């Protein structure tokens, strides 16, 4: 159980395009979802935390107008990279947790989205 | 500043051998520590979780230890298999009360050769 599906797995698009990435919890309700970014050979960097029905909390240095997060239901969160540029090329990973603010509940990760901006 | 340092950065071993990965952290307040396995191009998968009071936790051939006094953890892999080739990430959860933020190490890249 506790499967998180992320779509698409890979996207290549032109500079200036907006890209939407979906993260779905398939067999559980995810009160909290996280979005991460990972550069090659680097650790995952938390971008934002979103609780269902409320605005996302962005980490310092992450532009909220650039990376739009919507967590409208308990099974779906979306990340939209607006007007993407080559420097936005990265591996984006989402994770979901069943309950809010319960530290021992594990995060279940999606398989990531490889975004390449030409 | 909360930090999680992992060593070695990369490791190559022969199939069947044992290995130990290290994780040192300087986070406060400490909540829990997890080890994840991340295959190339995939999301991380949780291997073990330990809270402050736990010293060791096993999951099959994986055994994690935690020394909360020295703020060190290790992940021991026994009788390695080719499928163990992956990045192993140490994640320390920081926080109390209503907010818990995970702090990720950079990972150790393990390659198991036949």
């Amino acid at each position: 159980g506790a499967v998180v599906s992320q779509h698409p797995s890979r996207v290549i698009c032109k500079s200036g395009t907006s890209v939407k990435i979906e993260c779905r919890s398939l067999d559980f309700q995810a009160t909290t979802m996280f979005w991460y970014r990972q550069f090659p050979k680097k650790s995952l960097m938390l971008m934002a935390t979103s609780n269902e029905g409320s605005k996302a909390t962005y980490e310092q240095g992450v532009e909220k107008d650039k990376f739009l997060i919507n967590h409208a239901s308990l099974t779906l969160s979306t990340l939209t990279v607006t007007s993407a540029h080559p420097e936005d090329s990265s591996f984006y990973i989402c994770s979901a947790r069943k309950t809010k603010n319960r530290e021992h509940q594990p995060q279940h990760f999606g398989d990531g989205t490889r975004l390449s901006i030409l | 500043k909360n930090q999680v340092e992992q060593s070695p950065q990369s490791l190559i071993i022969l199939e069947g051998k044992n290995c130990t990965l290290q994780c040192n952290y300087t986070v406060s307040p400490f909540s829990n520590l997890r080890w994840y396995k991340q295959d190339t191009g995939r999301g991380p998968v949780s291997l073990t979780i330990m809270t402050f009071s736990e010293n060791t936790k096993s999951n099959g051939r994986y055994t994690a230890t935690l020394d909360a006094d020295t703020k060190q953890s290790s992940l021991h892999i026994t009788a390695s298999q080719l499928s163990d080739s992956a990045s192993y990430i140490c994640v320390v959860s920081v926080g109390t009360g209503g907010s818990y933020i995970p702090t990720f190490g950079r990972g150790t890249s393990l390659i198991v050769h036949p």
Side-chain angles (χ1 to χ4, degrees):
Chain A
V3 177
V4 174
S5 173
Q6 199 171 328
H7 179 79
S9 59
R10 182 173 184 112
V11 59
I12 302 172
C13 57
K14 294 181 179 180
S15 183
T17 306
S18 292
V19 179
K20 179 185 283 189
I21 303 170
E22 292 187 349
C23 180
R24 294 181 184 272
S25 56
L26 298 185
D27 53 0
F28 68 100
Q29 293 187 325
T31 305
T32 305
M33 285 188 170
F34 304 85
W35 286 96
Y36 295 87
R37 183 173 181 176
Q38 186 177 33
F39 291 106
K41 300 188 185 300
K42 299 293 185 182
S43 64
L44 278 75
M45 296 297 295
L46 179 65
M47 298 175 67
T49 303
S50 70
N51 292 308
E52 185 267 338
S54 59
K55 289 184 179 180
T57 300
Y58 289 81
E59 295 300 301
Q60 190 173 7
V62 178
E63 300 176 55
K64 59 181 65 177
D65 294 331
K66 174 76 173 178
F67 299 99
L68 301 179
I69 292 173
N70 184 285
H71 190 172
S73 78
L74 285 172
T75 59
L76 173 65
S77 176
T78 61
L79 167 67
T80 301
V81 183
T82 61
S83 187
H85 292 285
E87 58 267 28
D88 297 323
S89 299
S90 188
F91 191 51
Y92 292 86
I93 305 177
C94 74
S95 72
R97 190 167 65 194
K98 292 181 181 179
T99 54
K100 179 180 177 180
N101 295 333
R102 291 290 301 276
E103 76 278 27
H104 301 322
Q105 282 282 340
Q107 291 185 41
H108 303 284
F109 287 85
D111 275 343
T113 296
R114 175 75 57 193
L115 175 62
S116 299
I117 307 298
L118 304 177
Chain B
K1 181 180 178 182
N2 293 323
Q3 288 186 317
V4 177
E5 301 288 340
Q6 289 187 243
S7 63
Q9 186 174 356
S10 61
L11 182 63
I12 301 174
I13 61 174
L14 292 176
E15 186 180 12
K17 297 296 184 181
N18 303 336
C19 66
T20 300
L21 314 179
Q22 300 292 339
C23 174
N24 297 336
Y25 60 92
T26 56
V27 302
S28 180
F30 173 88
S31 177
N32 62 60
L33 184 148
R34 294 182 185 276
W35 282 94
Y36 284 87
K37 178 186 179 186
Q38 184 178 19
D39 292 313
T40 301
R42 305 294 296 274
V45 175
S46 180
L47 295 176
T48 63
I49 176 175
M50 286 182 292
T51 59
F52 185 87
S53 60
E54 296 176 293
N55 300 119
T56 185
K57 184 74 69 77
S58 291
N59 178 2
R61 293 179 297 103
Y62 301 104
T63 299
T65 65
L66 174 65
D67 186 332
D69 292 330
T70 62
K71 298 188 176 181
Q72 296 179 326
S73 176
S74 66
L75 179 69
H76 186 74
I77 304 175
T78 305
S80 61
Q81 300 176 357
L82 298 180
S83 59
D84 292 332
S85 296
S87 178
Y88 291 84
I89 304 171
C90 175
V91 183
V92 183
S93 187
V94 184
T96 57
S99 179
Y100 301 94
I101 301 297
T103 302
F104 287 73
R106 290 190 177 186
T108 291
S109 176
L110 174 66
I111 298 174
V112 180
H113 277 312

